[in-house]
Amino acid sequence: MAVQQQVNRFIQGIGASPGIVIGKAYLIERFKVRLPQKRIDPERVEEEVKRFFRAIEESRNQLTEVKEKILDPEVRKHSFILDVHLMILNDEMLLQDTVETIRKKKVNSEWALDLTLEKLDTAFQAIEDEYLRERRSDLHYVAARIFRTLLGKKHDDITKIKGKVIVVAHDLSPADTLQMNLKHVAGFITDIGGKVSHTAILSRSLGIPAVVGLEMATSLINGGDLLIIDGETGEVAINPTEEVSQSFLERKRRTRAIEREILKYASLPAETRDGVRVRLQANIEMVEEIFAAKAHGAEGIGLYRTEILYLNRKDLPTEEEHFQIYRRLAEEIYPATATLRTLDVGGDKFLPDYSKNNELNPALGLRAIRFSLKETEIFKTQLRGILRASVYGKLRILFPMISGVEEIRKAKAILEEVKKSMAKDKIPFDEQIETGAMIEIPSASDIADILAKEVNFFSIGTNDLIQYALAIDRINEHVSYLYEPLHPAVLRIIRWVVQAGHQAGIPVAICGEMAADPTYALVLLGLGLDEFSMTPVSIPRVKKLFRMSSFEETRLFVEQLFQFPTISEIKYFVRNWMAKRFPEDFI
Ligand code: PEP
Ligand code: MG
């Protein structure tokens, strides 16, 4: 399909995987195959059923071959997507429903399968969860394969891409992506898709820049057009002028230089110049982020917010769902540890039919551990999932919003109950699994010395700790100017919690946003924290700063902060100290 040549045209999509790349467009033609609709003579119906099954068999062989041909171990890691496609090919409902339609309506396989797809589509559309709804595309990839096989049409031979290209497709199946020789792929752009579509997830974890959701890319772009894409901003320039190319490339050079310099620190140990070793870990909400976490040098997952499993759906996650997700996490991050925080709903995150009961003060309401201790069945299901997964790596459990000793004891008693019942059923689990308390309520920090005897570790959640200590609603923009990590009270609380934890011989972590800011991170280092958990991209920068510092100088610097009575004096002192000590990093 020839389209008019576009010059210096810009289209805007969704940045799905960061990076700026330039390259020739390689268009994957994905014309929707026209499906013949034929009636079948009654005596030929069984023959048609056989034809359908032959196409299924052949499609299965093709997919298995694709899977076997993947040699690159990095790419191989993602071949589970092909397993999902193989599972769809074996799906009872898909097969039986189509065969039944062939038999009852006496129609050809293409027509029957199309009718089945329509039904399944309706079912998918009712799903609220964005991730699961996106999986509908997998069903369509598989169906397209069956249709092509039925019609004897060739599949695009994308194994033969030459040179460095930007792949342009209406939609890109993960199977397609995995078949490509990725050495020749500079980037991907697609008409459809969102941030959690498989293509987006896959390109992020493969580190290939991608822009999705461009709507018109395949109609506006011709094969061979010169493209520049920015996977961060979602911009795509078609046949750019020299001037535009240069400005993109300049942007690329600048971000690259900074990133390259910073990324060098990803794989280095988080160790100060005087040999104090701390752990920099990642906060993640989706298992897929684990690749980014590792690429940025995370030494474990310091906070996995399990809420995502519960939100945007009508039912509750099953024990099996919990197990599968946590097992992947445990396996992927091994030999490092993943910290799973039990459900933290309430506040600004609600479960349908439960905690939304119009609480006047949701932040002070039935949140987090309070909810779990009330809805014990929901809690036990999650704990069983965690325990079952615990034998596949190193997991630890973190209880959110602990306000006193009673809560931690109750939570641990329920955990013991679950362990006992699993032992009785001979289900293996890590008997030594560690438990920790989030320190995010002033009553908990006040009794940190007592609480420390009940758990294996602390994790300070400054997002909430600041909210509760300073009485500032963290989501209320009118008081956000008061939300201040360097408030003397916050510094004193953290200092005390670290001291109490260390006196009891347990490590103290921080997993609030505060840890991701290099300035605050340095203050936290001086306060003696052992583990820092943050969004993956912040890890290398913080690591760099830690490696440039000595613990002793940081400790002395932080000690001085306690002489100031006001936040502004503390900030002024910190800013000046940083600018003097790290003139190139803090201007
Ligand atoms: C915190 O409160 O600091 C924290 C890490 O938890 P969340 O932001 O999920 O409440
Ligand atoms: Mg919190």
Side-chain angles (χ1 to χ4, degrees):
M1 194 180 14
V3 285
Q4 211 189 337
Q5 160 117 112
Q6 307 281 335
V7 179
N8 217 19
R9 166 125 194 202
F10 294 90
I11 43 177
Q12 182 68 46
I14 301 164
S17 178
I20 296 171
V21 277
I22 185 161
K24 289 265 165 69
Y26 182 94
L27 214 61
I28 294 184
E29 307 274 10
R30 281 261 179 272
F31 303 122
K32 213 172 159 5
V33 273
R34 189 178 282 279
L35 299 175
Q37 298 190 334
K38 288 189 208 151
R39 302 236 165 242
I40 304 284
D41 294 339
E43 66 274 13
R44 306 200 52 186
V45 160
E46 283 316 305
E47 220 174 276
E48 186 61 23
V49 171
K50 275 191 198 144
R51 178 174 163 260
F52 176 66
F53 278 122
R54 266 200 310 276
I56 295 289
E57 188 57 34
E58 203 179 310
S59 304
R60 196 176 292 137
N61 292 341
Q62 291 163 3
L63 275 177
T64 314
E65 200 183 290
V66 171
K67 202 176 145 192
E68 279 163 3
K69 269 193 190 158
I70 306 171
L71 296 176
D72 184 335
E74 221 9 70
V75 180
R76 214 166 224 301
K77 275 199 219 147
H78 303 284
S79 65
F80 69 91
I81 294 162
L82 295 177
D83 292 326
V84 172
H85 287 193
L86 282 163
M87 262 162 60
I88 295 175
L89 264 179
N90 287 332
D91 184 74
E92 285 281 303
M93 161 121 184
L94 184 81
L95 301 185
Q96 269 178 18
D97 203 272
T98 310
V99 169
E100 222 167 83
T101 310
I102 299 175
R103 286 191 175 130
K104 274 202 191 131
K105 299 206 164 132
K106 307 202 173 14
V107 293
N108 64 344
S109 306
E110 291 87 337
W111 196 350
L113 178 58
D114 206 28
L115 288 171
T116 304
L117 274 185
E118 251 173 52
K119 265 193 233 167
L120 291 174
D121 255 359
T122 318
F124 264 105
Q125 264 149 21
I127 297 177
E128 275 181 24
D129 181 272
E130 195 190 350
Y131 179 83
L132 289 179
R133 211 175 40 234
E134 278 282 349
R135 302 290 72 78
R136 172 172 163 258
S137 59
D138 291 313
L139 175 68
H140 280 265
Y141 296 138
V142 173
R145 185 171 285 278
I146 306 171
F147 285 135
R148 277 167 204 272
T149 310
L150 278 167
L151 296 167
K153 283 205 188 300
K154 269 191 28 188
H155 298 269
D156 282 319
D157 198 356
I158 45 185
T159 52
K160 298 209 170 78
I161 295 180
K162 295 251 162 40
K164 245 334 197 191
V165 298
I166 292 176
V167 173
V168 184
H170 178 65
D171 191 9
L172 209 52
S173 98
D176 288 339
T177 315
L178 295 178
Q179 274 179 82
M180 287 174 201
N181 187 342
L182 294 170
K183 282 195 197 79
H184 296 295
V185 179
F188 296 116
I189 63 173
T190 59
D191 289 340
I192 63 174
K195 267 194 194 299
V196 287
S197 63
H198 260 146
T199 311
I201 294 169
L202 203 60
S203 38
R204 270 200 295 278
S205 52
L206 293 169
I208 297 176
V211 178
V212 298
L214 281 157
E215 292 178 10
M216 302 284 287
T218 50
S219 349
L220 294 174
I221 297 168
N222 278 314
D225 277 351
L226 188 70
L227 301 178
I228 301 192
I229 70 169
D230 184 339
E232 180 80 47
T233 61
E235 287 165 280
V236 171
I238 309 168
N239 296 319
T241 56
E242 186 55 28
E243 204 185 338
V244 168
S245 293
Q246 284 311 324
S247 78
F248 266 89
L249 292 175
E250 183 47 37
R251 196 195 302 174
K252 178 179 172 144
R253 265 191 292 274
R254 260 183 291 144
T255 43
R256 258 288 179 79
I258 299 170
E259 264 164 26
R260 208 173 312 129
E261 162 63 17
I262 301 280
L263 258 179
K264 274 197 248 157
Y265 291 83
S267 57
L268 299 174
E271 187 174 326
T272 61
R273 288 161 67 163
D274 49 352
V276 172
R277 185 87 161 79
V278 292
R279 268 212 291 175
L280 295 196
Q281 300 177 301
N283 286 356
I284 63 167
E285 288 171 63
M286 287 199 312
V287 183
E288 285 73 22
E289 289 173 270
I290 207 149
F291 301 104
K294 287 202 274 190
H296 288 89
E299 300 168 280
I301 302 301
L303 174 66
Y304 178 60
R305 291 181 164 100
T306 59
E307 295 79 83
I308 196 104
L309 268 86
Y310 295 80
L311 302 176
N312 300 324
R313 58 190 284 170
K314 293 204 173 78
D315 57 351
L316 291 162
T318 60
E319 178 189 318
E320 187 62 23
E321 279 175 69
H322 282 294
F323 165 65
Q324 292 294 351
I325 300 267
Y326 306 150
R327 176 186 169 167
R328 256 188 78 197
L329 205 60
E331 288 178 337
E332 298 281 1
I333 202 73
Y334 188 81
T337 306
T339 309
L340 307 183
R341 181 177 73 185
T342 61
L343 179 60
D344 183 358
V345 277
D348 57 341
K349 306 172 253 186
F350 297 115
L351 287 196
D353 302 331
Y354 286 95
S355 51
K356 64 166 179 274
N357 300 323
N358 297 327
E359 294 179 319
L360 218 50
N361 271 318
L364 306 181
L366 192 62
R367 266 193 74 178
I369 198 69
R370 303 167 183 186
F371 177 82
S372 293
L373 294 178
K374 179 162 183 276
E375 302 288 343
T376 47
E377 285 315 308
I378 298 178
F379 191 35
K380 285 182 190 167
T381 304
Q382 179 171 36
L383 292 174
R384 276 179 76 94
I386 296 177
L387 285 171
R388 275 177 61 196
S390 65
V391 291
Y392 292 91
K394 287 188 208 152
L395 295 181
R396 55 182 197 176
I397 303 173
L398 180 58
F399 298 117
M401 292 276 298
I402 294 295
S403 68
V405 172
E406 289 81 356
E407 274 167 345
I408 199 78
R409 287 199 181 149
K410 276 189 200 151
K412 283 174 66 184
I414 294 173
L415 178 67
E416 281 313 307
E417 206 184 301
V418 174
K419 281 183 176 176
K420 239 185 230 146
S421 99
M422 287 175 65
K424 205 166 121 238
D425 298 341
K426 301 216 165 14
I427 301 168
F429 60 88
D430 173 7
E431 308 207 4
Q432 309 302 326
I433 193 161
E434 295 193 343
T435 52
M438 289 277 294
I439 303 293
E440 44 189 352
I441 300 182
S443 62
S445 59
D446 259 358
I447 56 160
D449 51 337
I450 310 174
L451 268 181
K453 300 194 180 94
E454 309 281 332
V455 288
N456 304 103
F457 67 100
F458 280 158
S459 190
I460 306 178
T462 43
N463 305 343
D464 276 317
L465 183 63
I466 297 171
Q467 146 163 287
Y468 296 124
L470 306 184
I472 294 152
D473 184 348
R474 65 192 257 192
I475 52 173
N476 181 340
E477 70 277 17
H478 302 296
V479 288
S480 62
Y481 72 100
L482 291 169
Y483 195 91
E484 187 49 74
L486 293 181
H487 190 296
V490 176
L491 297 179
R492 279 166 190 243
I493 295 175
I494 299 175
R495 180 172 64 173
W496 159 240
V497 174
V498 173
Q499 195 185 322
H502 288 177
Q503 259 161 19
I506 62 167
V508 183
I510 178 154
C511 61
E513 291 305 306
M514 191 178 168
D517 182 307
T519 311
Y520 300 149
L522 207 69
V523 171
L524 294 165
L525 177 74
L527 284 168
L529 280 129
D530 307 284
E531 299 174 18
F532 301 72
S533 198
M534 62 197 74
T535 171
V537 286
S538 300
I539 294 174
R541 194 178 293 277
V542 171
K543 214 180 252 192
K544 177 183 178 206
L545 203 62
F546 284 6
R547 289 180 59 84
M548 286 161 70
S549 317
S550 85
F551 173 68
E552 199 45 31
E553 66 166 338
T554 315
R555 193 183 63 77
L556 292 172
F557 149 63
V558 171
E559 229 175 61
Q560 297 185 68
L561 304 184
F562 288 91
Q563 61 178 305
F564 300 112
T566 63
I567 306 166
S568 45
E569 282 163 289
I570 298 178
K571 279 170 129 175
Y572 183 76
F573 182 81
V574 169
R575 217 176 298 131
N576 275 345
W577 193 87
M578 292 282 182
K580 236 187 260 160
R581 178 63 183 82
F582 307 102
E584 286 181 12
D585 295 76
F586 295 92
I587 299 151

